[in-house]
Amino acid sequence: METVEDIVIVGAGISGLATALGLHRIGLRSMVLESSESLRVTGYAFTTWTNAWKALDALGIGDYLRQQHAQIQGLVSVSSVTGVTTAQMSFMEQGKCGNHEVRCVMRNILLETLVKELPQGTIRFGSKVVSLEQTKSLVHVHLADGSILKTKVLVGCDGVNSVVSKWLGLKKPAFTGRSAIRGLAEFPDGHGYKPELLLHFGDGFRAGFLPCNDKTIYWFFTYLPSSQLAKDMEDDPAKKKQFVLSKLQNVPKEIIDALEKTEVEAFYSTPLRFRFPWNVLWGDICKGGVCVAGDALHPMTPDLGQGGCSALEDGVTLARCLGEALLGKHKEGGGEYDMIKKGLEKYAKERRWRGFELIATAYVLGFMQQSDGVVINFLRDKCFSGLMAGMYLKRADFDCGKLYSP
């Protein structure tokens, strides 16, 4: 007997689990296919801005996560070229969507919280998707083990190397020429670090430091790797650690302490990639019963801190649009396939421009902050530093809305 799933989600990352939980909250069942054998909780942490907390509250897990993560009260940016503070900003203000809220959430805690709220058996581990095809009303999902699943809706949340986005015809993400190293530093007796985001940039790199709670500090370091540098550090985490420390000699002592306390094995490089924003604006985000979300839709550089936040937005928006289509509130007649198609098209319409502006803003911020040169240094430190700092709150002042409830 043929088994047909209503909704299949590819990838148990932030966007995939947020979408599954959003659907569960409104009474829609989904199956999440994850290629690895267990939950992938690597990635350390990410900054959650106001828009992310709107989404987390819509999913019903915001208050639980607040209890475990300190609120960040402001931002201080410092030029690595001159050592001068170029901008200071408070996060304790009100925007058009209410009070701003910024915290640094540990990735493992977020993912485990999402999983705990899902019905048991929602995630099917060891299920790698290799290809798919669409008939009139069903999507055939081919797995690496030779099995085939059939579903009415397929959501690709399978990251920058997404099989689903490739099938939709979205172009492969491009390498920015930059790489990143990230880490967590643990202080069992407390770190005493101020609840602020400290940024150092210029001279070919960009670095940031902020506390997750009173015992953990998250840090990131992006740089322009030369071919020789990449070769020298490729298989030697100790050299990566030495390289980061050598570039950050002028930062406060507590920052050096955080880097020193980070395990050597955590110092590994990852290339930064992004999708050209016009590809999101004009490309196929959805086709029939298939769509993409998260990094499969809008991979972006981390310079705006919106990758994980926008993935949460995607999950809430997609769940709401599917709920409206399938649960009857906005039905306008037609068969189930037509309603699914309309729901996904509405989701795509809501997310196109948002993805475009986040990708573009992050790329420009990263270019300005990390670039070196007399003209760029002057413009960045003297003219644009306040404007660039303001972009963090401006792009985060967004509410993806509530979930649909029948």
Side-chain angles (χ1 to χ4, degrees), residues 38-57:
S38 59
L39 195 64
R40 291 175 292 127
V41 296
T42 57
Y44 303 114
F46 67 100
T47 312
T48 50
W49 299 85
T50 308
N51 56 312
W53 290 104
K54 298 289 186 183
L56 291 168
D57 285 336

Side-chain angles (χ1 to χ4, degrees), residues 307-322:
C309 300
S310 56
L312 290 167
E313 288 180 18
D314 291 343
V316 172
T317 305
L318 180 52
R320 182 177 63 249
C321 290
L322 281 174

Side-chain angles (χ1 to χ4, degrees), residues 256-331:
I256 298 297
D257 290 343
L259 292 169
E260 292 284 9
K261 280 186 173 291
T262 304
E263 297 292 332
V264 172
E265 291 72 19
F267 285 76
Y268 66 93
S269 299
T270 54
L272 298 181
R273 290 182 282 176
F274 78 117
R275 174 160 284 130
F276 289 110
W278 46 86
N279 192 216
V280 173
L281 200 59
W282 297 316
D284 284 329
I285 293 175
C286 66
K287 188 186 298 182
V290 181
C291 71
V292 283
D295 281 346
L297 169 58
H298 44 58
M300 65 187 76
T301 62
D303 307 288
L304 194 59
Q306 281 292 337
C309 300
S310 56
L312 290 167
E313 288 180 18
D314 291 343
V316 172
T317 305
L318 180 52
R320 182 177 63 249
C321 290
L322 281 174
E324 291 173 351
L326 295 173
L327 298 177
K329 187 175 182 181
H330 298 292
K331 276 192 174 181

Side-chain angles (χ1 to χ4, degrees), residues 33 50 79 124 134 144 149 178 197 258 274 290 295 325 352 383:
L33 303 178
T50 308
S79 170
R124 177 174 159 177
Q134 186 167 30
L149 289 177
R178 302 163 56 209
L197 167 58
F274 78 117
V290 181
D295 281 346
R352 280 187 193 279
C383 304

